[in-house]
Amino acid sequence: MSAGGRVLLLCGGRSGEHEVSLASAASVLAAAEDRLDLLPRVIARDGRLLSEAASRHALQAGRSDAPDPDAAPDPVRGLASLADGEVDVVFPLLHGPNGEDGTIQGLLSVLDVPFVGSGVLGSAAGMDKPTMKRIFASAGVPQVAWAEVHRADWRDDPDAASPALAHLPWPRFVKPAALGSSVGIGRADDTAGQADALHEAFRWDDRAIVEAGVTDGRELEVAVLGNEAPQASPPGEIRVPKGAFYDYAHKYQDGATELRVPAPLDPATANAVQAWAVQAFRLVGAAGLARVDFFLRPDGEVLVNEINTMPGFTRHSMYPKLFQAAGLSYPDLIVQLIALARARHAAASARTVDA
């Protein structure tokens, strides 16, 4: 058992990625509870902070809807109470809105408790796809063509909003502006399909992005680990059945995709992808961990798709698999992330004292 203090394993949340978060936390608990003093706490879909006993049951069951008379109705007060000396560091394994968008990171910063992953800026910039893409564009990062669509504009006059998309070739991929795990994403092969995909995206967000589809490219991913001196993993490759795309089912159903780790790439391409991953990490102000996704065209052109500052973290997820290929085991990776959180908080505290 670690002597470093208790680690709050925070998961669940009210976003559409609730189950993904539970799966990540259950995997971390199973892998590292013999090395870290882990306290699992689940934020239920209705916003309650479940007790430790109910949280452990939820992680075993993969769902958090069982009754819990000991749940805290106000998660903010509940977390503040835990942070007041009961826990030493927080691992916020929360995905999506109110999880990896800077909101929980802001709360933890105010509570002055160390936490794994990016702070407010890195989390918010990485979560909001139009903002992220504009940051990348400002630094010359190669990307697919894209456009932003606001729900109000599309609802009031779809024809008026359409010219902003005219430069995009078909097929197009439509995504909610600030969501992850491929929730709400749709492929559009024509205007009718685009209208359907936008309707679905607007169920989840007030804004959507529409991207030019890269149907002839390979999908690559690189994991990044560190604070001031981030390190990139070997690239991995996602292979999905022909005609499909990497949607929610392909990410989280066993056998739906083939993961090739490391990806079969020539050294120059592998180095280029790793370099772009580290640059993307730094551009958004990320910390701790992130996964950067790419397209590799047949002509060798590398395109950055997006950065995920709190990627899926089950033992079988791409992020830990990528570092396992680099020789870092899943339990060791978890321990290192906790150490990075403590180091980052200590450095920030020292700067505050010096000021």
Side-chain angles (χ1 to χ4, degrees), residues 229-305:
Q231 302 295 313
S233 73
E237 182 173 6
I238 305 292
R239 295 176 63 88
V240 298
K242 188 174 182 178
F245 70 94
Y246 197 36
D247 60 6
Y248 187 96
H250 286 97
K251 283 187 177 181
Y252 299 111
Q253 290 180 3
D254 289 341
T257 58
E258 177 189 352
L259 306 180
R260 305 176 73 180
V261 181
L265 298 170
D266 63 84
T269 300
N271 291 338
V273 171
Q274 289 175 306
W276 280 121
V278 170
Q279 181 162 351
F281 187 90
R282 286 177 164 155
L283 281 170
V284 301
L289 75 164
R291 193 195 69 234
V292 185
D293 302 342
F294 299 85
F295 296 115
L296 176 62
R297 291 190 183 275
D299 62 2
E301 182 185 20
V302 173
L303 299 173
V304 177
N305 183 22

Side-chain angles (χ1 to χ4, degrees), residues 129 172-188 193 196-204 208-211 219 245-249 251 293 305-306:
K129 293 180 177 66
R172 300 169 181 172
F173 286 92
V174 181
K175 307 175 181 180
L179 208 62
S181 291
S182 297
V183 174
I185 292 181
R187 169 175 168 152
D196 291 341
L198 282 167
H199 178 77
E200 174 63 19
F202 288 142
R203 288 183 57 226
W204 303 94
I209 64 167
V210 183
E211 299 175 339
E219 296 192 39
F245 70 94
Y246 197 36
D247 60 6
Y248 187 96
K251 283 187 177 181
D293 302 342
N305 183 22
E306 63 183 31

Side-chain angles (χ1 to χ4, degrees), residues 87-338:
V87 297
D88 174 67
V89 64
V90 178
F91 194 163
L93 265 171
L94 296 160
H95 306 299
N98 297 320
E100 59 181 310
D101 60 356
T103 50
I104 193 70
Q105 290 77 14
L107 173 61
L108 296 175
S109 296
V110 170
L111 295 175
D112 194 30
V113 59
F115 58 90
V116 172
S118 299
V120 174
L121 175 63
S123 299
M127 187 72 195
D128 191 271
K129 293 180 177 66
T131 299
M132 171 196 68
K133 289 178 178 294
R134 291 184 177 107
I135 290 172
F136 289 168
S138 70
V141 175
Q143 305 178 79
V144 298
W146 65 280
E148 181 179 6
V149 181
H150 289 249
R151 175 166 53 188
D153 295 339
W154 187 262
R155 178 193 60 216
D156 295 342
D157 191 352
D159 292 335
S162 295
L165 308 177
H167 67 291
L168 301 176
W170 302 98
R172 300 169 181 172
F173 286 92
V174 181
K175 307 175 181 180
L179 208 62
S181 291
S182 297
V183 174
I185 292 181
R187 169 175 168 152
D189 294 294
D190 52 32
T191 54
Q194 179 173 269
D196 291 341
L198 282 167
H199 178 77
E200 174 63 19
F202 288 142
R203 288 183 57 226
W204 303 94
D205 205 320
D206 290 336
R207 297 170 300 132
I209 64 167
V210 183
E211 299 175 339
V214 181
T215 57
D216 60 349
R218 297 166 62 184
E219 296 192 39
L220 306 177
E221 298 186 348
V222 175
V224 183
L225 176 69
N227 291 332
E228 293 85 359
Q231 302 295 313
S233 73
E237 182 173 6
I238 305 292
R239 295 176 63 88
V240 298
K242 188 174 182 178
F245 70 94
Y246 197 36
D247 60 6
Y248 187 96
H250 286 97
K251 283 187 177 181
Y252 299 111
Q253 290 180 3
D254 289 341
T257 58
E258 177 189 352
L259 306 180
R260 305 176 73 180
V261 181
L265 298 170
D266 63 84
T269 300
N271 291 338
V273 171
Q274 289 175 306
W276 280 121
V278 170
Q279 181 162 351
F281 187 90
R282 286 177 164 155
L283 281 170
V284 301
L289 75 164
R291 193 195 69 234
V292 185
D293 302 342
F294 299 85
F295 296 115
L296 176 62
R297 291 190 183 275
D299 62 2
E301 182 185 20
V302 173
L303 299 173
V304 177
N305 183 22
E306 63 183 31
I307 186 170
N308 189 321
T309 58
M310 188 54 70
F313 207 82
T314 72
R315 182 182 291 274
H316 305 293
S317 296
M318 194 60 149
Y319 184 90
K321 279 184 171 293
L322 289 168
F323 272 109
Q324 185 176 345
L328 186 62
S329 72
Y330 185 55
D332 286 342
L333 175 61
I334 296 166
V335 171
Q336 188 162 335
L337 284 169
I338 300 300

